[in-house]
């Protein structure tokens, strides 16, 4: 269904769930391996939307014509899920709220690129 919707409407579709998926306009579908049930809390979708928008804006701001909105969306979903995983390890899934996920974004980025985040 996700593939059909994305190709028919020529858009990138993100479906949140136990294993979120991204469907692309060209028919490819990606399953995100990060995240947990704690990401189902109120506001986490808004948080993810902001993260995706930020990643896409950074891609176009730095790469211009070489920017890839699909790659930026997949990366944002991965980082958001990883931040949720880090928050769950610290707080547990049941009590997580959207701000807990947001507060672990920098930890997720540093985990993926510890040297690139040093001054």
């Amino acid at each position: 269904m996700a593939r059909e919707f994305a190709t028919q409407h020529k858009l990138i579709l993100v479906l949140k769930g136990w294993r979120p998926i991204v469907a692309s306009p060209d028919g490819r579908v990606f399953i995100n391996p990060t995240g947990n049930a704690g990401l189902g809390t109120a506001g986490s979708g808004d948080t993810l939307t902001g993260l995706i928008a930020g990643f896409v804006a950074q891609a176009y701001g730095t790469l211009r014509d070489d920017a890839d909105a699909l790659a930026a969306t997949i990366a944002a979903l991965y980082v958001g899920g990883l931040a949720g995983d880090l928050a769950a390890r610290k707080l547990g899934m049941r009590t997580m709220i959207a701000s807990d996920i947001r507060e672990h974004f920098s930890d997720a980025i540093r985990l993926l690129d510890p040297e690139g985040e040093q001054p």
Side-chain angles (χ1 to χ4, degrees), residues 36 80 89 111 119:
N36 58 72
R89 284 186 201 142
L111 185 64

Side-chain angles (χ1 to χ4, degrees), residues 49-67:
T49 299
L51 190 61
I52 292 170
F55 272 52
V56 170
Q58 287 179 30
Y60 279 93
T62 57
L63 302 173
R64 310 242 187 269
D65 292 337
D66 293 328

Side-chain angles (χ1 to χ4, degrees), residues 35-55:
N36 58 72
L39 293 168
T41 188
S44 66
D46 296 329
T47 301
L48 176 60
T49 299
L51 190 61
I52 292 170
F55 272 52

Side-chain angles (χ1 to χ4, degrees), residues 18 35-42 44 84 88 92-98 101:
W18 168 242
N36 58 72
L39 293 168
T41 188
S44 66
M93 291 186 293
R94 290 184 191 184
T95 61
M96 270 177 30
I97 58 174
I101 301 161

Side-chain angles (χ1 to χ4, degrees), residues 14 27 35 90-91:
V14 177
K90 182 177 179 183
L91 306 166

